[in-house]
Amino acid sequence: MATFKDLDEFFDDSLRLPVGGRTYVIPAPDAEVGLLCQRLMNAGIAAEAGEAVDGEELTKLAAVVLDDDQEQDLYKRILGPVYDELFTDGLTWPKIQHIGTTALIWVAAGTDAAVKFWSTSGEAPAPNRATRRAAAARSTRSRGSATGTTRTTASRSKAATKSPGTTS
């Protein structure tokens, strides 16, 4: 019978980011922060894709818009003890933001996405087709059609004027 090795023997749930000759080790956040990061990422992808959102989704998006204090608090929550180290070491705010955003992406979308962002000048890369499709699959679809098809205006007016019991 197969047995599982202890996860702690091979799984590293921290993020290591090199800055100025030093490597900062960011510990994995707790589940609450992890879920918040995923909500933020999903909201950003939906907004970038220009998706129409219903009232419930709009409320969720509004709840994750951050002012400056909330952004700083989010970085503290994501980076944990490393946040204070960055200030003690004299890093500039833009670098701290880049580190914090990289950690946010790592938590929400994984290491590969974080590596892509880390190597940019601070601009998030546009989501790829697979990411957009995954976000669309998570969004709420209207109840109009189970297949996702829509009627054109012409077909709607034809259907509305057709008499009962006739076929087209």
Side-chain angles (χ1 to χ4, degrees):
M1 177 167 87
T3 59
F4 290 97
K5 289 175 35 178
D6 187 307
L7 186 62
D8 292 335
E9 290 179 23
F10 61 90
F11 187 76
D12 182 5
D13 63 353
S14 61
L15 178 65
R16 294 168 178 359
L17 297 176
V19 179
R22 176 169 178 190
T23 299
Y24 293 92
V25 180
I26 300 164
D30 62 27
E32 179 184 350
V33 173
L35 292 171
L36 172 63
C37 291
Q38 288 184 335
R39 273 187 36 226
L40 286 168
M41 184 67 64
N42 290 338
I45 290 170
E48 182 69 27
E51 294 178 8
V53 292
D54 62 19
E56 182 181 332
E57 284 298 311
L58 188 57
T59 302
K60 288 179 187 175
L61 287 172
V64 295
V65 174
L66 304 175
D67 63 25
D68 290 344
D69 291 337
Q70 291 168 326
E71 177 185 18
Q72 188 173 6
D73 181 59
L74 178 63
Y75 291 149
K76 286 179 184 178
R77 293 174 72 186
I78 293 170
L79 298 173
V82 173
Y83 183 83
D84 291 330
E85 287 178 47
L86 298 172
F87 276 96
T88 301
D89 291 348
L91 270 69
T92 63
W93 182 244
K95 285 185 178 181
I96 293 171
Q97 283 181 307
H98 194 76
I99 292 166
T101 303
T102 301
L104 168 74
I105 293 169
W106 165 65
V107 171
T111 304
D112 290 341
V115 167
K116 285 179 187 174
F117 178 80
W118 181 254
S119 301
T120 68
S121 62
E123 293 296 319
N128 65 24
R129 183 179 302 171
T131 304
R132 290 191 307 268
R133 285 183 179 164
R138 288 188 298 270
S139 69
T140 305
R141 182 183 290 170
S142 72
R143 293 198 169 269
S145 168
T147 63
T149 60
T150 60
R151 289 185 179 177
T152 63
T153 305
S155 65
R156 271 191 225 123
S157 29
K158 182 178 177 183
T161 58
K162 189 167 64 168
S163 9
T166 62
T167 59
S168 45

